[in-house]
Amino acid sequence: MPRTLITGGAGFLGSHLCEYLLAKGHEVICIDNLSTGNIENIEQLHREQFTFIKQDVTEYLYIKGPIDYILHFASPASPVDYQRMPIQTLKVGSLGTHKALGLAKEKQAVFLLASTSEVYGDPLVHPQKEDYWGNVNPIGPRGVYDEAKRFAEAMTMAYHRYHGISTRIARIFNTYGPRMRLHDGRVVPQFIYQVLTNKPLTVYGSGRQTRSFCFISDLIEGIYKLLLSNISDPVNIGNPNEMTILELGELLLKISGGKGEIRYEPLPQDDPQTRQPDITKARAQLKWEPKVPLEEGLKTTMDWFKNKGVVS
Ligand code: UDP
């Protein structure tokens, strides 16, 4: 039975990973300081093969016994969260990644970094391929996340090259699904909340900026395939189905049968104008591509929010 550590395991992506790897027969150790993670996300996982440790990964990590895989997913990930916690975001991407890599070296574990499409910043190349170096404002409000993840990638490659650690880097694009926090500020939960409560959709800027949304189950499959590969260079994991934010709003209104008022608000500073993953590499080398159509994934997500009663 592989023994696997997941940092940020109580978060949106992390908790789905815990669940997935348990089902694959792993013993799972989940570390989370619950700053943006939620204990409810992992409540149903409590069993013999699952351990939860409440800890900040920027502090020294001691784990008894062997570890086969370390998946480093701890970090605030929504623009609202990381701008609310700028220093913690920088610390978890830098010090936290260093600690997690140090543990991987100690245990000779395979290490997988949850990186991000934000390493491409406001991209000048479209769609984004892994060999694009990005267009990031280091001192802007988003810089705390973008630069932390860029540093984390550099640190991961340094451990790979200098210490010979087996590493993977997943560049994760916008992902949505059950267990997102309703008020984390990201566009999918925000719009779902607004359509379900008949509030106007808050569209930032013209709404013509684009994103490409991947359903959680597809993303987790991609991460798992990357983990089991031997690819140490970054791999984009996301859904190339690109759309404008206005189109996303229209689709959610269609699904819900809502009214459709839109309130335009200012575009946040350095908000990327376009974003679409080029997943040629993942398709060819991981034999992976997303399967869940957007409308189906959004319905599932909306139903989850309704069933949880989080939207009254
Ligand atoms: N956005 C919006 N209204 C909202 C929340 C977000 O128009 O209520 C826009 C935001 O400006 C960005 C896109 O939706 O262009 C995606 O934002 P999100 O925070 O989900 O993630 P990002 O991709 O920017 O990290």
Side-chain angles (χ1 to χ4, degrees):
M1 181 191 278
R3 200 159 178 254
T4 300
L5 177 91
I6 303 176
T7 76
F12 165 46
L13 304 183
S15 64
H16 282 281
L17 265 177
C18 289
E19 193 172 352
Y20 186 88
L21 293 178
L22 282 167
K24 291 274 178 203
H26 290 227
E27 179 187 339
V28 173
I29 304 164
C30 160
I31 296 194
D32 205 301
N33 70 352
L34 302 180
S35 67
T36 58
N38 183 352
I39 199 80
E40 271 180 27
N41 288 341
I42 51 170
E43 249 160 18
Q44 79 287 8
L45 302 181
H46 284 294
R47 63 192 83 159
E48 215 176 301
Q49 300 86 349
F50 182 76
T51 311
F52 171 64
I53 303 172
K54 185 170 183 294
Q55 195 194 312
D56 186 329
V57 293
T58 62
E59 284 154 22
Y60 182 74
L61 294 174
Y62 173 76
I63 305 287
K64 209 173 158 186
I67 298 181
D68 302 292
Y69 299 103
I70 297 180
L71 294 94
H72 184 40
F73 276 68
S75 177
S78 98
V80 170
D81 284 338
Y82 56 71
Q83 289 172 48
R84 185 167 56 84
M85 296 183 281
I87 296 167
Q88 290 97 319
T89 302
L90 282 159
K91 282 176 71 179
V92 75
S94 54
L95 305 179
T97 303
H98 184 221
K99 291 281 184 291
L101 279 162
L103 188 65
K105 175 167 155 263
E106 166 71 23
K107 305 285 186 185
Q108 289 298 299
V110 173
F111 177 89
L112 185 145
L113 173 70
S115 186
T116 169
S117 55
E118 284 281 325
V119 300
Y120 302 121
D122 191 2
L124 305 176
V125 167
H126 195 77
Q128 293 79 55
K129 270 174 114 109
E130 290 88 348
D131 59 7
Y132 177 48
W133 292 353
N135 176 39
V136 170
N137 173 5
I139 57 163
R142 298 175 86 103
V144 296
Y145 183 66
D146 302 7
E147 295 296 3
K149 289 290 188 183
R150 288 167 69 94
F151 176 91
E153 288 198 3
M155 185 64 109
T156 301
M157 290 309 291
Y159 265 69
H160 173 65
R161 293 193 181 111
Y162 187 74
H163 290 307
I165 301 300
S166 182
T167 57
R168 320 273 181 264
I169 297 174
R171 290 194 178 144
I172 299 171
F173 283 65
N174 293 66
T175 306
Y176 69 97
R179 299 198 197 133
M180 291 187 98
R181 279 163 36 239
L182 192 60
H183 297 296
D184 82 353
R186 281 188 280 197
V187 68
V188 169
Q190 183 93 323
F191 279 5
I192 287 182
Y193 172 73
Q194 289 163 345
V195 296
L196 292 179
T197 53
N198 286 320
K199 293 190 167 64
L201 296 187
T202 51
V203 169
Y204 301 161
S206 66
R208 285 197 292 272
Q209 69 271 35
T210 68
R211 293 293 185 273
S212 311
F213 297 96
C214 184
F215 189 62
I216 182 69
S217 59
D218 282 332
L219 183 98
I220 298 296
E221 292 264 338
I223 299 289
Y224 184 65
K225 287 196 164 171
L226 178 61
L227 184 69
L228 298 192
S229 78
N230 59 0
I231 307 171
S232 53
D233 291 333
V235 180
N236 288 339
I237 307 284
N239 190 323
N241 176 22
E242 183 185 18
M243 65 194 328
T244 67
I245 295 304
L246 273 176
E247 284 166 343
L248 173 73
E250 280 158 15
L251 181 58
L252 281 165
L253 287 168
K254 188 185 119 193
I255 293 170
S256 69
K259 274 202 309 315
E261 209 188 315
I262 288 180
R263 196 172 73 215
Y264 287 93
E265 295 192 0
L267 190 70
Q269 190 189 332
D270 298 336
D271 197 287
Q273 280 308 292
T274 55
R275 182 181 290 159
Q276 183 190 30
D278 182 320
I279 59 164
T280 309
K281 189 171 176 181
R283 277 196 175 112
Q285 297 187 29
L286 302 178
K287 307 277 176 265
W288 171 84
E289 64 181 357
K291 297 191 194 82
V292 180
L294 185 63
E295 191 162 339
E296 184 187 320
L298 288 174
K299 272 189 195 142
T300 306
T301 309
M302 205 182 270
D303 286 346
W304 181 81
F305 278 120
K306 279 194 208 161
N307 290 339
K308 274 210 82 186
V310 283
V311 182
S312 56

